[in-house]
Amino acid sequence: LPAISARLWTRNIEQMIYASIGISILSSVLGLLFSFHNALPSGAAIVLTGGGIYMASVLLGRNGGVLTRLIPT
């Protein structure tokens, strides 16, 4: 999920790698916090958080996001 999400934000492979690492760290930390506060399994919470970031990327991503295609610049 992080690599796909990063692809929707950048086209340069080097930037994509850094974005993917950042998204991975963000989804891990947010997923662990979510699982801790709601007494949920940590793995499932991390995957759900990554899925949420992916859905936000599909809607808002600069390269291929749904809303960026609908709104002309």
Side-chain angles (χ1 to χ4, degrees), residues 30-56:
L30 292 178
L32 287 173
L33 287 173
F34 183 68
S35 72
F36 177 76
H37 289 292
N38 294 309
L40 297 171
S42 59
I46 292 170
V47 171
L48 285 174
T49 305
I53 293 172
Y54 169 71
M55 291 306 294

Side-chain angles (χ1 to χ4, degrees), residues 1 3 14-15 17 19-21 23 25 30-32 35-36 38-40 47-48 51-53 59 61 67 70:
L1 288 173
E14 185 177 349
Q15 292 174 351
I17 291 170
S20 180
I21 291 169
I23 291 170
I25 292 170
L30 292 178
L32 287 173
S35 72
F36 177 76
N38 294 309
L40 297 171
V47 171
L48 285 174
I53 293 172
L59 290 175
L67 294 180
L70 295 175

Side-chain angles (χ1 to χ4, degrees), residues 67-73:
L67 294 180
T68 56
R69 287 188 211 165
L70 295 175
I71 300 171
T73 55

